[in-house]
């Protein structure tokens, strides 16, 4: 029978005998779990994590109450389920490892662009976007940042040309060879066009959004890129980052967002500072 007094006496004894290294150990583990939860929050992995926690609790309870058959079934389910989760959520695991790599090792990488070059690049991109918007010509532009997406670049046609509004507009003109797909920009260069992107599986996107928007969100889920999207139906300009889509962005706002995210810090707070939620 469960003795609540003995439980609290034991808990108090543990607290009183804790040393500084025990506190540090617990704090580190708590921080790791917090970061993991914040990373998977509002994703399909969150629901799986809740299911795993439920199974762990049920397994412990079945062991405590000596429900041997149920315990055996739950233990084997957990063993198989862990392997299945690794396979199913490979994209999320990859994105998580890339996130850790960007946070811890970005001092190894140095930008190749001066602020003047970047300002010119941003100006050319913004002018191209809103020229396409006025003509209701669909467009999808990927701004590569710290996470390299060479695997996506390899699916398209290599260009390696300087960014200019004329080049970008010409690429997306309907019925031209390279208009269908995404343009990837790296270090103020148009690296490739007609690139294929992974589609998001998110259920939160509006049903009226098509493949272009789903592809834009999808690539932002697996890298830290910024995706710029022009709708051919409405001419609205949208931006996607970290799996989130922000629609109907004005020209001035777009310029501010790109300047804040492509110059200097690329932390999430800079993205918000760029005016998305103003």
């Amino acid at each position: 029978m469960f003795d609540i007094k003995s439980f609290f006496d034991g808990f108090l004894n543990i607290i009183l005998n804790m040393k500084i290294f025990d506190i540090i150990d617990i704090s580190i583990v708590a921080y790791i779990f917090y970061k993991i939860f914040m990373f998977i929050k509002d994703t399909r992995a969150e629901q799986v994590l809740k299911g795993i926690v439920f199974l762990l609790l049920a397994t412990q309870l079945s062991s405590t109450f000596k429900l041997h058959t149920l315990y055996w079934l739950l233990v084997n389910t957990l063993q198989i389920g862990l392997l299945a989760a690794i396979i199913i959520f490979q994209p999320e695991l990859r994105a998580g490892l890339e996130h850790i790599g960007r946070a811890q090792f970005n001092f190894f990488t140095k930008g190749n662009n001066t602020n003047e070059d970047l300002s010119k690049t941003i100006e050319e991109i913004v002018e191209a976007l809103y020229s396409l918007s006025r003509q209701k010509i669909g467009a999808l532009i990927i701004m590569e940042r710290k996470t390299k997406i060479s695997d996506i670049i390899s699916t398209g046609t290599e260009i390696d040309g300087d960014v200019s509004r004329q080049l970008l507009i010409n690429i997306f003109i309907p019925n031209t060879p390279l208009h269908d797909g995404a343009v990837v920009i790296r270090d103020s260069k148009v690296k490739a066009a007609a690139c294929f992107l992974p589609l998001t599986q998110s259920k939160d996107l509006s049903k009226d959004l098509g493949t272009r928007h789903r592809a834009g969100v999808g690539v932002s889920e697996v890298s830290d890129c910024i995706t710029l999207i022009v709708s051919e139906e409405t001419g609205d300009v949208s931006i996607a980052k970290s799996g989130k889509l922000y629609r109907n962005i004005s020209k001035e706002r777009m310029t501010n967002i790109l300047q804040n995210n492509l110059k200097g810090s690329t932390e999430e707070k800079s993205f918000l500072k760029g005016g998305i939620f103003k």
Side-chain angles (χ1 to χ4, degrees):
M1 184 176 178
F2 181 72
D3 187 344
I4 190 167
K5 184 177 183 301
S6 298
F7 172 79
F8 279 111
D9 286 343
F11 180 74
L12 184 61
N13 185 57
I14 292 172
I15 296 296
L16 293 175
N17 287 283
M18 286 181 67
K19 298 179 173 59
I20 184 65
F21 290 108
D22 297 322
I23 297 174
I24 293 172
D25 186 26
I26 293 171
S27 299
I28 291 172
V29 172
Y31 178 75
I32 290 172
F33 275 99
Y34 169 76
K35 294 299 287 185
I36 290 173
F37 179 76
M38 293 306 295
F39 182 75
I40 67 172
K41 186 181 178 183
D42 297 328
T43 68
R44 55 186 182 145
E46 180 184 6
Q47 305 306 317
V48 173
L49 180 62
K50 291 177 181 177
I52 291 173
V53 171
F54 175 80
L55 287 176
L56 287 171
L57 290 174
T59 302
Q60 185 58 47
L61 288 172
S62 64
S63 175
T64 301
F65 293 105
K66 301 187 184 304
L67 305 175
H68 302 298
T69 304
L70 181 59
Y71 177 78
W72 177 86
L73 182 63
L74 289 171
V75 166
N76 284 277
T77 299
L78 280 171
Q79 290 175 347
I80 298 171
L82 182 61
L83 179 60
I86 291 173
I87 296 171
I88 294 170
F89 294 102
Q90 183 270 337
E92 284 84 356
L93 291 171
R94 174 185 170 184
L97 293 173
E98 288 175 347
H99 180 76
I100 293 171
R102 292 195 300 270
Q104 301 297 327
F105 307 114
N106 55 25
F107 51 82
F108 286 114
T109 60
K110 295 182 179 179
N112 296 324
N113 298 326
T114 65
N115 282 340
E116 185 178 346
D117 292 337
L118 202 49
S119 294
K120 180 64 175 175
T121 298
I122 291 171
E123 180 185 350
E124 294 296 311
I125 291 170
V126 171
E127 290 298 329
L129 282 173
Y130 289 89
S131 174
L132 293 166
S133 172
R134 288 190 294 272
Q135 302 173 69
K136 291 190 177 180
I137 296 174
L140 184 54
I141 299 175
I142 312 302
M143 304 292 295
E144 185 189 70
R145 298 203 295 170
K146 284 187 170 62
T147 301
K148 300 305 177 185
I149 50 175
S150 297
D151 53 333
I152 289 174
I153 291 172
S154 65
T155 65
T157 300
E158 187 174 353
I159 295 177
D160 202 28
D162 292 336
V163 173
S164 70
R165 67 193 77 182
Q166 293 86 355
L167 175 58
L168 292 172
I169 292 170
N170 190 65
I171 287 172
F172 290 111
I173 293 296
N175 302 319
T176 55
L178 300 179
H179 86 281
D180 192 17
V183 163
V184 177
I185 294 177
R186 171 193 288 174
D187 297 333
S188 295
K189 293 281 188 180
V190 177
K191 290 299 294 183
C195 298
F196 294 100
L197 305 179
L199 299 181
T200 181
Q201 301 301 315
S202 173
K203 306 297 183 184
D204 297 329
L205 288 183
S206 173
K207 299 297 183 183
D208 64 337
L209 296 177
T211 304
R212 182 177 289 108
H213 288 82
R214 292 190 172 276
V217 174
V219 70
S220 76
E221 291 174 337
V222 298
S223 77
D224 66 338
C225 70
I226 294 176
T227 309
L228 313 174
I229 310 158
V230 179
S231 169
E232 63 183 348
E233 287 81 15
T234 64
D236 289 346
V237 180
S238 304
I239 187 167
K241 181 177 181 285
S242 302
K244 304 291 185 182
L245 181 68
Y246 307 93
R247 303 175 66 180
N248 198 20
I249 307 298
S250 69
K251 186 175 180 179
E252 294 75 17
R253 211 168 170 192
M254 178 65 74
T255 301
N256 290 335
I257 291 167
L258 294 180
Q259 286 176 345
N260 278 281
N261 283 268
L262 300 177
K263 292 180 180 179
S265 173
T266 56
E267 294 296 325
E268 185 70 17
K269 61 183 180 182
S270 296
F271 190 66
L272 304 184
K273 185 180 176 182
I276 280 294
F277 294 109
K278 291 183 179 179

